[in-house]
Amino acid sequence: MRQIYLDNAATTKMSPAAIQALLPCLDQVYGNPSSLHSPGQRASEALSHARERIARQFNCTPRELTFTSGGSEADNQAIRSAALLGARQGKRHIISTAFEHHAVLHTLDRLEREGFAVTLLDVHENGLIQPEQVAQAIREDTCLVTVMYANNEIGTIQPVAEIGAICRERGVLFHTDAVQAAGHLPIDVQGQNIDLLSLSAHKFHGPKGVGALYVRKGVPLTSLIEGGAQERGKRAGTENIPGIVAMAAALDEACGRMEENAAKVSALRDRLIAGLANIPHSILNGDPTRRLPGNVSFCFEGIEGESLLLLLDDKGVYASSGSACTSGSLDPSHVLLAIGRPHEIAHGSLRLTLSEETSQEDVDYTVEAVTQVVSYLRSMSPVWRDLETGKQSFVIQ
Ligand SMILES: *Cc1c(COP(=O)(O)O)cnc(C)c1O
């Protein structure tokens, strides 16, 4: 049976280059970078080298990067640090959007319970926010704006540079969760006026459990984990050398082939979108062009996303209904609700995220598989019968 992995927004397969970079760190460069002896120094050099390679890809200095256990930790640390800094100046207002990753939203929930005020900007039906919304929401006591670079469920790309410019002008810190963007879209923290940025290796063919937080020079970072003085006291714990070295290799590879990959993958994405749009009463989620090269997200009326996923799995198509974090729960995706999809429609969602390894045959097979499964599920659904006989009216025309 064909096996088609279309869940690259949840995680990616490690690239051969990343694996090759990682392996010697397990048994050769095994020292603790804090040790003064030669094995320790070799590890310390590997760490510095990786930091320099990563810094180059984002146009920052190596000292502005702190390694973390991944995107969630970077998001938590960025937001907590900015909040603490704000509180010291009597500024306790934070601006974000309704469709951030839970690593951001749940951190904001916690801060709200600790006395911060949070404004969540409405997301337009096309999955974008306007920079003017940020400008209008900024108050005297705003200490942070946090808006994701690209959405993990519907793939839409936010006007980060414009938001950054507004924040810089108004003297407010700007954080962006760039976990879906890093390695896939060009990022220039200086040109885009970004103060804090989160990334995670496993979303660009690096290993899981490693990421980084960029913090502009002069912005003090608060440590979430107490312990040793690693990462210049900003993040305790012996550095994950294999992970960090492999992340640098994966990022270099992804950035080196970014244009080529984006052209190839977005052509396949558009072919997949065109194919799925032929299914009656279906709708694409998110702007058709201002989206990640590999992201396809649809809602199908009269369908339960979970049944769709299980039947697709039987056909060797590995997809998701939204974010991996909400799968297993019966709540509809907060992202789809944020762009105004009604509950019953949000339940019938399907996210297919492509990679450089996806082929045109994979796409054509997937279109056929989804078309068959949707039609099969509808043929058994009492809701669908009511829609067809006019007892209930269609939401998606
Ligand atoms: C995957 C993801 C995260 C979490 O990253 P981890 O490394 O898995 O903790 C955060 N934000 C976005 C947008 C993501 O896609």
Side-chain angles (χ1 to χ4, degrees):
M1 187 179 65
R2 258 192 127 82
Q3 306 233 20
I4 308 178
Y5 183 75
L6 294 177
D7 203 10
N8 287 281
T11 195
T12 57
K13 180 163 89 177
M14 268 180 83
S15 69
I19 295 173
Q20 252 190 13
L22 182 140
L23 287 177
C25 300
L26 301 179
D27 59 357
Q28 292 166 44
V29 190
Y30 57 83
N32 186 323
S34 300
S35 302
L36 290 177
H37 48 60
S38 302
Q41 288 316 295
R42 274 199 289 282
S44 171
E45 277 159 29
L47 181 63
S48 305
H49 183 56
R51 203 187 302 274
E52 281 160 22
R53 287 172 82 180
I54 296 170
R56 211 171 301 136
Q57 298 297 355
F58 299 113
N59 192 23
C60 65
T61 64
R63 284 168 76 94
E64 290 172 312
L65 288 174
T66 300
F67 293 120
T68 66
S69 65
S72 300
E73 185 187 334
D75 283 341
N76 275 256
Q77 191 170 11
I79 294 168
R80 281 227 157 253
S81 297
L84 257 162
L85 200 63
R88 275 189 224 129
Q89 306 166 340
K91 296 180 173 182
R92 295 179 158 266
H93 176 236
I94 301 174
I95 298 168
S96 189
T97 75
F99 79 159
E100 298 295 311
H101 191 272
H102 281 137
V104 169
L105 288 178
H106 290 171
T107 303
L108 294 176
D109 283 347
R110 273 277 281 276
L111 287 170
E112 251 182 334
R113 276 180 268 135
E114 292 169 19
F116 284 82
V118 175
T119 300
L120 294 184
L121 302 175
D122 289 334
V123 185
H124 186 268
E125 197 200 333
N126 66 1
L128 295 168
I129 66 156
Q130 300 295 325
E132 300 79 67
Q133 290 176 269
V134 175
Q136 279 160 17
I138 292 178
R139 319 191 306 210
E140 280 297 305
D141 62 341
T142 305
C143 60
L144 173 71
V145 170
T146 171
V147 174
M148 69 200 317
Y149 203 120
N151 185 271
N152 49 305
E153 291 188 34
I154 60 173
T156 48
I157 302 166
Q158 301 303 328
V160 169
E162 290 85 343
I163 296 170
I166 291 167
C167 293
R168 189 60 58 86
E169 191 193 317
R170 306 279 291 270
V172 177
L173 287 179
F174 175 43
H175 166 251
T176 186
D177 172 342
V179 173
Q180 289 291 330
H184 301 279
L185 300 172
I187 297 177
D188 173 350
V189 291
Q190 302 207 43
Q192 294 173 305
N193 288 312
I194 297 165
D195 298 309
L196 303 121
L197 176 141
S198 312
L199 64 119
S200 177
H202 74 102
K203 305 290 175 79
F204 51 81
H205 303 286
K208 290 157 191 59
V210 61
L213 175 58
Y214 151 79
V215 189
R216 186 168 57 81
K217 185 173 183 284
V219 178
L221 198 57
T222 304
S223 178
L224 296 182
I225 299 170
E226 302 304 333
Q230 291 92 352
E231 297 298 283
R232 303 200 294 129
K234 303 306 181 200
R235 205 282 186 178
T238 303
E239 297 85 346
N240 174 3
I241 303 288
I244 292 165
V245 167
M247 169 161 68
L251 186 69
D252 268 353
E253 189 179 39
C255 292
R257 298 185 187 161
M258 189 180 284
E259 265 182 59
E260 178 194 334
N261 285 344
K264 181 196 162 197
V265 175
S266 56
L268 291 174
R269 171 199 71 193
D270 293 343
R271 186 179 178 94
L272 183 52
I273 291 176
L276 296 180
N278 286 328
I279 296 175
H281 306 284
S282 67
I283 192 164
L284 175 72
N285 298 312
D287 194 87
T289 57
R290 297 200 59 179
R291 65 192 303 131
L292 288 165
N295 177 287
V296 174
S297 167
F298 264 86
C299 285
F300 303 104
E301 188 147 15
I303 296 283
E304 281 296 334
E306 282 73 22
S307 341
L308 182 57
L309 293 187
L310 293 176
L311 291 173
L312 285 176
D313 186 75
D314 287 342
K315 291 178 180 285
V317 175
Y318 309 131
S320 143
S321 61
S323 94
C325 325
T326 42
S327 58
S329 95
L330 288 176
D331 292 336
S333 143
H334 70 285
V335 172
L336 297 176
L337 297 181
I339 62 166
R341 300 279 182 253
H343 274 247
E344 70 272 25
I345 299 300
H347 271 298
S349 66
L350 177 69
R351 180 185 72 179
L352 302 162
T353 42
L354 290 64
S355 82
E356 308 73 51
E357 283 191 9
T358 311
S359 69
Q360 187 167 309
E361 292 72 48
D362 292 341
V363 165
D364 294 345
Y365 178 93
T366 301
V367 170
E368 202 175 302
V370 175
T371 307
Q372 279 173 9
V373 171
V374 166
S375 140
Y376 170 73
L377 287 171
R378 282 175 172 172
S379 73
M380 303 198 311
S381 150
V383 174
W384 186 253
R385 200 168 316 124
D386 287 353
L387 288 164
E388 281 211 307
T389 54
K391 257 196 213 159
Q392 243 181 286
S393 38
F394 285 105
V395 176
I396 305 174
Q397 293 313 311

